[in-house]
Amino acid sequence: MKAQLAMFGSKPVVRPEHRRLEWPVVTQADKDAVLRALDSRKFTVGAKNEQEISGLEREWAEFCDTRYAVAVNSGTVALELALTALGLQPGDEVIVPALSYVATAMAPLYQLAIPVFVDIDPVTFNIDVTQIEAKITSRTRAIVPVHLGGLPADMDEIRALARKYDLLVVEDAVQAQGGKYRGETAGSMGAASVFSLNVEKSVPTCGEGGLIVTDDENVAERCRSLRILGEDLSTEERLYVSATRGSNLKLSSVLAAFTRSQLARFWEYQDRRDKNIPIFLSRLAALPGIVVPPVPEDRTHMWHMLRFRFDPQAAGLDGVTPGRFRQALRRALLAEGVPLTHYQIIPLPGQPVFQEQNAYGNGYPWSLPGTNPQRYDLADYPVTCQVIEDSLCLRRMHLNPDAGPALDEYAAAFERVWENLDVIARFARALDYAPPWAAVKGYEQKAGVPA
Ligand SMILES: Cc1ncc(COP(=O)(O)O)c(C=O)c1O
């Protein structure tokens, strides 16, 4: 007899202790590192003989195969400073994928530059490199590929376009710390690249932090100045003289010390994750109608996030739409204790900040003289819409190095739900359905958006 579903009252498959895993794992070594920073009494990057921030910058550059790393107080700031240090000007256009964290598209606004979105690839979820060229204009200055979920983007194609049109490439490598693409390291393939150290990342800090990496000494030097109010740093003694606009964006040495300790055991953790996550994925891949994240042979997956697409036809459920199937599965799997989430409920160009072109008032930067009008129409991003509609994600905290037993239970929960697909189909057909973006003001019934 097949097992009943938890959504109808049976005992959930996943035990309570596996419904929310702990990340970051904090060890005695991390605590000792933090105490070491406190005992040093050198708390900021400006302190003479400060060791932790400079140590992290040295070790991070080595980790990324780059010459320089500059620590700042978030990944968002890292992106803002990288683009600024590379000379982005007001009114420049920056090409970004339509699916990412909003920071990728928000960062160009820091320099009054304008994000231009490109739809994603339906398999890798990264920027669709076949659609970039059509978005390049005389105003385009940079491409910011994102290694979404931990899988490096198609960097060779991106770099070829950048060479052809003389564009900058800035990798948003935030989700792919340590990743490899055709033998190169994530972060080493752009004019500058950025990382975040927030608590969700594989190498976190105990709070917020970020890093810019580059091989260009001038770019590194500019970032160091920009994080400290644009100060002229060429003098041995700090004179508090600002050469350009900047802000106070420095990382604390306590946070740097914690990250150094985490970085020291990153590969040991990654090895364990490289064992338990593929076992979990192969169990799911055996169920008809689940598409698990692919790992092309020429790159590594850093398992920042797993996105599963659900295909009702392949599952044998004719007449059930992908959105309804996903929504019914979400209800059933959450009831079983599998902590699935959406990752983005709307393509980035649909976010109200871009829809309403609301950044600095008076329509700036979109209203600057000579700029190209931007449509930001969701109908231009059909793949991103489809993927958001038919997929759910498992996030980093549930993919920690000791997640094996939890992942076993998640797989068993999927298997139980798949034994009951007839029930799921009935439930899906009867749902009061709305696509995920219906939760966004203005999109309740937006015409032209695939539903
Ligand atoms: C792809 C991507 N880019 C940028 C950021 C911004 O990093 P932070 O949260 O450290 O500002 C994030 C955030 O996690 C991200 O996922």
Side-chain angles (χ1 to χ4, degrees):
M1 204 181 74
K2 67 186 183 185
Q4 293 281 309
L5 293 173
M7 70 196 282
F8 300 122
S10 297
K11 189 166 174 238
V13 175
V14 180
R15 285 174 292 166
E17 63 268 33
H18 287 157
R19 288 185 205 162
R20 191 187 162 85
L21 300 188
E22 287 263 308
W23 183 257
V25 174
V26 177
T27 65
Q28 190 56 46
D30 300 333
K31 294 177 189 170
D32 291 346
V34 165
L35 286 176
R36 185 181 69 217
L38 293 176
D39 287 342
S40 78
R41 314 241 5 113
K42 313 278 185 197
F43 297 126
T44 73
V45 74
K48 236 188 174 47
N49 297 326
E50 188 286 326
Q51 301 284 318
E52 301 298 344
I53 301 164
S54 54
L56 173 64
E57 290 179 339
R58 206 175 44 246
E59 288 156 16
W60 200 272
E62 195 180 321
F63 176 60
C64 294
D65 290 326
T66 56
R67 289 179 67 197
Y68 306 99
V70 180
V72 290
N73 59 7
S74 76
T76 305
V77 161
L79 207 40
E80 290 170 345
L81 296 200
L83 291 169
T84 305
L86 286 164
L88 202 72
Q89 298 287 312
D92 284 349
E93 291 172 9
V94 178
I95 291 182
V96 299
L99 187 64
S100 179
Y101 183 57
V102 71
T104 311
M106 190 89 82
L109 295 177
Y110 183 74
Q111 270 302 85
L112 291 159
I114 295 172
V116 170
F117 298 93
V118 171
D119 208 0
I120 59 162
D121 179 280
V123 176
T124 65
F125 314 128
N126 284 325
I127 193 164
D128 180 347
V129 290
T130 66
Q131 296 197 43
I132 294 177
E133 198 158 13
K135 298 282 178 111
I136 295 174
T137 72
S138 59
R139 289 242 159 210
T140 310
R141 196 68 201 290
I143 308 175
V144 181
V146 179
H147 306 319
L148 199 69
L151 184 71
D154 294 326
M155 291 305 295
D156 280 352
E157 289 83 346
I158 291 166
R159 285 183 290 189
L161 284 169
R163 275 193 300 275
K164 184 168 168 191
Y165 292 96
D166 193 20
L167 306 176
L168 298 160
V169 176
V170 176
E171 282 170 84
D172 180 337
V174 161
Q175 299 190 0
Q177 297 162 331
K180 291 279 181 200
Y181 170 83
R182 300 184 177 172
E184 293 179 84
T185 304
S188 70
M189 296 176 274
S193 306
V194 304
F195 293 91
S196 162
L197 299 175
N198 81 21
V199 284
E200 272 228 5
K201 300 302 174 292
S202 286
V203 186
T205 187
C206 45
E208 306 280 346
L211 290 133
I212 302 129
V213 294
T214 181
D215 284 334
D216 185 329
E217 190 175 353
N218 291 326
V219 171
E221 194 54 29
R222 262 179 245 139
C223 289
R224 281 189 211 108
S225 165
L226 288 166
R227 75 179 168 185
I228 184 165
L229 289 127
E231 281 186 26
D232 176 353
L233 301 175
S234 62
T235 54
E236 184 144 341
E237 190 187 345
R238 185 175 170 196
L239 300 177
Y240 296 88
V241 173
S242 286
T244 186
R245 175 183 65 98
S247 192
N248 184 354
L249 308 165
K250 304 190 289 294
L251 185 72
S252 126
S253 58
V254 175
L255 299 181
F258 183 90
T259 298
R260 291 179 81 189
S261 175
Q262 290 275 334
L263 180 59
R265 54 181 200 282
F266 169 75
W267 288 114
E268 180 208 320
Y269 279 180
Q270 188 64 19
D271 280 351
R272 276 150 65 189
R273 302 171 75 230
D274 277 337
K275 292 194 180 79
N276 61 30
I277 294 168
I279 293 172
F280 168 62
L281 293 179
S282 63
R283 268 177 82 177
L284 262 52
L287 302 173
I290 303 188
V291 183
V292 303
V295 187
E297 273 184 7
D298 61 356
R299 60 201 85 176
T300 57
H301 204 305
M302 303 315 284
W303 316 123
H304 175 74
M305 183 170 60
L306 305 179
R307 184 181 285 278
F308 306 106
R309 296 192 72 182
F310 302 111
D311 177 349
Q313 272 205 323
L317 306 185
D318 288 336
V320 176
T321 63
R324 283 174 179 277
F325 189 34
R326 185 260 314 141
Q327 188 162 318
L329 288 172
R330 181 160 190 249
R331 289 275 284 280
L333 288 160
L334 283 177
E336 298 297 344
V338 185
L340 292 167
T341 55
H342 286 292
Y343 180 80
Q344 306 305 327
I345 58 166
I346 193 163
L348 291 183
Q351 292 252 3
V353 52
F354 303 117
Q355 287 294 302
E356 286 152 35
Q357 308 203 338
N358 176 19
Y360 295 92
N362 292 332
Y364 291 122
W366 294 272
S367 59
L368 285 168
T371 54
N372 296 315
Q374 300 298 325
R375 265 166 56 93
Y376 297 152
D377 184 340
L378 288 206
D380 294 341
Y381 311 95
V383 177
T384 308
C385 287
Q386 264 162 31
V387 166
I388 288 175
E389 229 196 336
D390 70 19
S391 66
L392 290 169
C393 297
L394 203 52
R395 298 181 68 158
R396 177 65 184 79
M397 75 182 82
H398 308 294
L399 303 169
N400 81 21
D402 294 320
L407 295 176
D408 279 348
E409 290 182 6
Y410 299 168
F414 272 87
E415 285 158 3
R416 179 195 269 189
V417 169
W418 250 250
E419 280 174 25
N420 288 277
L421 280 185
D422 52 338
V423 183
I424 295 291
R426 275 200 302 282
F427 187 77
R429 286 195 195 97
L431 276 171
D432 185 13
Y433 183 73
W437 49 83
V440 181
K441 215 169 82 204
Y443 277 94
E444 297 87 349
Q445 288 157 10
K446 191 96 172 171
V449 179

